[in-house]
Structure formats: structure tokens, C-alpha cells
Amino acid sequence: RLALAAAEGAGGAAQEVRKRLAAIDRARTWVGSARRPALLSDLEAQLQAITGPIAADDPRGACELLLRFLEISAGVLARCSDGTGVVVGVFERAAEQLGALALAARLAPETLAEQAAELLLEDSHGAFDALVPALKEALGDAGLQRLEQGCRERGAVGGSRLLLQIAEARGDGEGYLGQFSAADLRRRSVAADVARVLLANGRPAQALEILDGATAEAPGRLDGAWLDSRLAVLEALDRHGEAQEMRWQWFCRTLSIPHLRDHLRRLEAFEDGEAEQRALGVAEQHPSRLLALEFLVGWGALARAARLVLAHATAWDGEAYALHSAAAERLSADHPLAATLLLRPMVWGALETGRSQRYRHVAEHLRSCDLLADRLDDWQGHPDHAAFVSRLQERFGGRWGFWRLVEP
């Protein structure tokens, strides 16, 4: 019906969409995983009609329909099983298109602000998290002020994501900062966020003051946002040497590939090669073998990664199976023994703990070990493949669920 109506003109298509949105909104039937594809297809068809032929012929009418489409999101999501997020994703995409359509429709900023405030304050599923940035141009500063007022009238409080987004969209660094208490600003995550906004508003000195006022504890791996914010501020203040030293110290602590790359990129010509070798040495001596392995494989230093694996052959426990699997795959071409020594602990660990949900994966790992064994002449003192399988059968012969997957 929608296709036929669209063929006759945008007016017919708009009427059909309006009727269909009303029907979707009235429905109360629970939509489980079996019915979800049909609902998703229906929603996609309405959205495409609104933003396609209707918008081309009647931007204002399309804008009204898109707002109506967004209004029904709460009811739809409340009666829908959406563990994969595909249904909420349709509404997210619709929200992102509202700004451009509102501009084309020349919708009054005050009217748009009122309608947006209603949507935002009723959004309990996070479907409209990107709506404020999307509406920035269409609202303008006056419209954003009206949006802030409307949100506060409807219960939004200082420090909420919504009011922070509005302050950022307005370029109001002071208004953004003012929504946090002194105690809030002592948290590095908050300080990093505030500094990012202040820097965007051309206030790097104040941003640095906020960052340095946060807790002075030694930064940990989870303080990356604070560090990145401080690096950006130091660069803006032309304190490049201090920023470089900070990148290097952070790399030595976390073995962060992006920070090392950024550090090397900023060095003078011919200095980067020496610095890279120094970084590889730091990685090999790092107290966390897992971080070292992740870095060396990610950097492409596979010979060094293999050397690390062999040097700590009995220390790999297979718990970090995502890393072990990825590293073993990268090492398998030229370093079959190292790859084998990473695969074996995953097989042993799954059988020892009886993790039957991992049997299919580790059976594949054991088959990979068998293939790698064909390319190995020197086991360097480690049991060969037949001896390892014999140990598995002796210790875990009763794990029939696993052995059935291994046997051809």
C-alpha cells in the first residue's frame, strides 16, 4: 500500500505513513524475537518513505511525520524484545536525520525546541542520545536556550547528560563547567570531559587547571581519557616536549600502541627507529606478560612475540583466550612452536574446569596443534603433539563431550 501510495504522489504516501504509525502506536502485542524482523521491516519502510519521497516533495510534512515516528518509539520499545539493539537503532537513525529535515522545512527553532524537549525527557531507552548534536544547526543558539529551558521545566537537573549536551552544543564552556561540584571535578573522568569542552572553546589554560586539580594518584590503565585530554591541552599550549614525555611514560606503563605511534610520529627524522627499538625492549621486559604479548603481536614484532612465549612457556594459562587465539593465529605461519604453546593451555584449561561451552572452540585449537606439529622438527624440550594428546586422554579421558568433537 505504501509503494502504491508513493507512486501516486507524496501526499498519498504521507497519508499512508500517518495511518501506519497510528496503528503501530495502538498495538499492544508483545514482539518477541520471531516477530521482530517483521516489525523492523515495517519501521524501516515508514522511515524510508518519510526521509525519501515525502521529504523531497514536502519537507515540512515529512518533518511532522518524522517527529511522530520518534514519538512512538517509547511504546514500541516497551513491548519489544530488542537484545541486539536493532529496533532502537532505527529510532537512533531517525533522530539523527531530524536536524537536516528541520532545516529543509524551515521549522521555527522555538517550535522545534519544544518538540525536542518532549522527546528527550520521555526517552528511557537511549534512542535520542544523539538528538541534541543533530539539532544544533537547526535550533541555533536561541533554540538551544529554549531547549534548555524546556528541559529544566520538565525536570532535567544540572549535570545530567541532556543539559551537558546542550551546553556543549552552545559552546558554553562556563555553563558546562558550572554543572559540576568541586568534588566532581576531583574525579579524573569528569575533569577529562570538562577539559575537552573547555579546550574546544579555546580555553586550554583553564582546561589544564581543571585536569591538574583532579586526584594526583598515579594514573592507571583506566585513566586514558584524562591522559588524552591532558595531552591535547599541552599541545594547544605549545608544551610539546612535556606532552612527548607524558606519552612515553604512559606507553611504558600500558604498552599503548596508539600512544607509541603518536610519540614516534612527532620525533625528529632518524630518531624514530631508535625510539621504536627502545619501545620493543620496554615491552619485552614489561611485568605484564599478557600486555607484552598483546603489544608485540599488535605491533607486528612477531619474532619478539614468539621469543616471549617461549621464554615463559609454562606461564600461559589460557584464561585470556581471546588474546591467546589471536596471537596464535598470527604466530602460526612462521612460529609454529610458539603458536602451539599458546593453544595448548586453552585446551587444558577448558577440560580441567569442565567448561563444556568452550569444548567446540578448544577442539578446533587441538586440531590446529595437530596441523602445526607437522611443521615442527625441534620441540625444544616440550612434549610433542602425540605426548600432549596422550596426557589429555590420561587426565580427561572421561570428557566425552569434548572427545566426540575431536574424533574424525
Side-chain angles (χ1 to χ4, degrees):
R1 288 197 303 270
L2 181 57
L4 289 170
E8 295 175 1
Q15 183 177 359
E16 190 64 35
V17 168
R18 194 172 292 108
K19 287 162 55 179
R20 188 64 197 136
L21 293 181
I24 295 172
D25 195 30
R26 285 196 305 269
R28 294 295 179 266
T29 305
W30 173 255
V31 180
S33 57
R35 295 183 175 182
R36 187 170 57 222
L39 172 65
L40 188 62
S41 178
D42 197 354
L43 292 171
E44 291 280 11
Q46 310 313 314
L47 179 59
Q48 288 173 17
I50 293 168
T51 57
I54 300 174
D57 188 70
D58 180 14
R60 182 172 289 272
C63 195
E64 292 173 0
L65 284 173
L66 188 56
L67 284 164
R68 177 64 181 138
F69 183 90
L70 297 175
E71 286 172 359
I72 72 171
S73 65
V76 170
L77 294 170
R79 63 181 181 89
C80 178
S81 169
D82 190 32
T84 59
V86 291
V87 179
V88 73
V90 177
F91 292 108
E92 289 172 347
R93 293 198 307 277
E96 290 168 0
Q97 296 179 71
L98 181 59
L101 198 51
L103 281 171
R106 298 183 179 179
L107 204 63
E110 296 77 12
T111 302
L112 181 59
E114 287 295 323
Q115 293 167 318
E118 289 286 348
L119 289 171
L120 289 163
L121 268 298
E122 293 178 6
D123 177 27
S124 59
H125 295 87
F128 306 146
D129 285 354
L131 184 57
V132 172
L135 294 178
K136 176 181 176 180
E137 185 178 355
L139 286 171
D141 191 63
L144 286 167
Q145 287 188 55
R146 183 68 194 96
L147 177 61
E148 178 181 356
Q149 180 184 344
C151 290
R152 289 185 182 277
E153 289 171 354
R154 290 168 174 82
V157 296
S160 66
R161 176 191 54 79
L162 183 51
L163 294 184
L164 290 173
Q165 279 190 326
I166 295 171
E168 185 173 358
R170 292 186 60 203
D172 182 10
E174 202 60 43
Y176 196 95
L177 173 61
Q179 297 186 52
F180 296 98
S181 68
D184 291 332
L185 293 172
R186 284 194 290 272
R187 294 164 46 203
R188 283 193 159 180
S189 59
V190 173
D193 189 49
V194 171
R196 174 185 60 81
V197 174
L198 291 173
L199 182 59
N201 284 273
R203 300 161 70 174
Q206 187 180 11
L208 185 61
E209 183 181 344
I210 295 293
L211 288 167
D212 289 346
T215 176
E217 296 174 4
R221 189 177 174 88
L222 298 180
D223 279 324
W226 178 88
L227 176 122
D228 287 339
S229 189
R230 196 172 194 279
L231 286 172
V233 168
L234 290 174
E235 292 292 348
L237 293 170
D238 293 327
R239 293 165 62 172
H240 308 301
E242 189 176 343
Q244 278 290 74
E245 179 62 21
M246 195 172 187
R247 285 187 191 93
W248 176 253
Q249 292 302 326
W250 184 253
F251 165 74
C252 291
R253 185 185 298 274
T254 66
L255 301 186
S256 165
I257 287 178
H259 290 92
L260 177 61
R261 282 185 177 142
D262 204 16
H263 177 80
L264 296 177
R265 180 175 61 84
R266 295 167 185 272
L267 291 176
E268 297 291 337
F270 308 113
E271 291 183 0
D272 56 342
E274 181 181 345
E276 181 182 359
Q277 292 304 309
R278 185 157 59 106
L280 291 168
V282 167
E284 287 188 280
Q285 299 301 317
H286 197 277
S288 170
R289 286 185 296 273
L290 288 176
L291 278 183
L293 178 63
E294 182 180 22
F295 168 78
L296 292 170
V297 171
W299 194 259
L302 300 183
R304 288 177 182 259
R307 187 165 67 199
L308 179 75
V309 172
L310 295 174
H312 303 281
T314 61
W316 310 103
D317 61 11
E319 284 299 306
Y321 46 81
L323 173 58
H324 277 220
S325 299
E329 183 175 351
R330 291 290 305 279
L331 292 169
S332 60
D334 296 321
H335 306 281
L337 181 57
T340 298
L341 294 180
L342 289 175
L343 292 170
R344 284 180 174 181
M346 292 190 287
V347 178
W348 189 277
L351 292 175
E352 189 171 47
T353 56
R355 295 179 184 173
S356 57
Q357 71 274 17
R358 290 211 43 80
Y359 283 178
R360 188 171 300 278
H361 300 285
V362 297
E364 184 62 34
H365 294 332
L366 189 60
R367 281 191 288 271
S368 296
C369 288
D370 188 22
L371 295 173
L372 290 167
D374 292 338
R375 297 162 43 212
L376 277 167
D377 296 321
D378 181 8
W379 288 87
Q380 299 185 28
H382 300 286
D384 64 17
H385 183 65
F388 178 69
V389 173
S390 178
R391 286 181 59 201
L392 287 177
Q393 291 172 331
E394 179 182 344
R395 180 76 178 269
F396 309 113
R399 308 286 195 196
W400 298 111
F402 169 76
W403 294 109
R404 278 197 298 267
L405 295 170
V406 173
E407 294 169 1

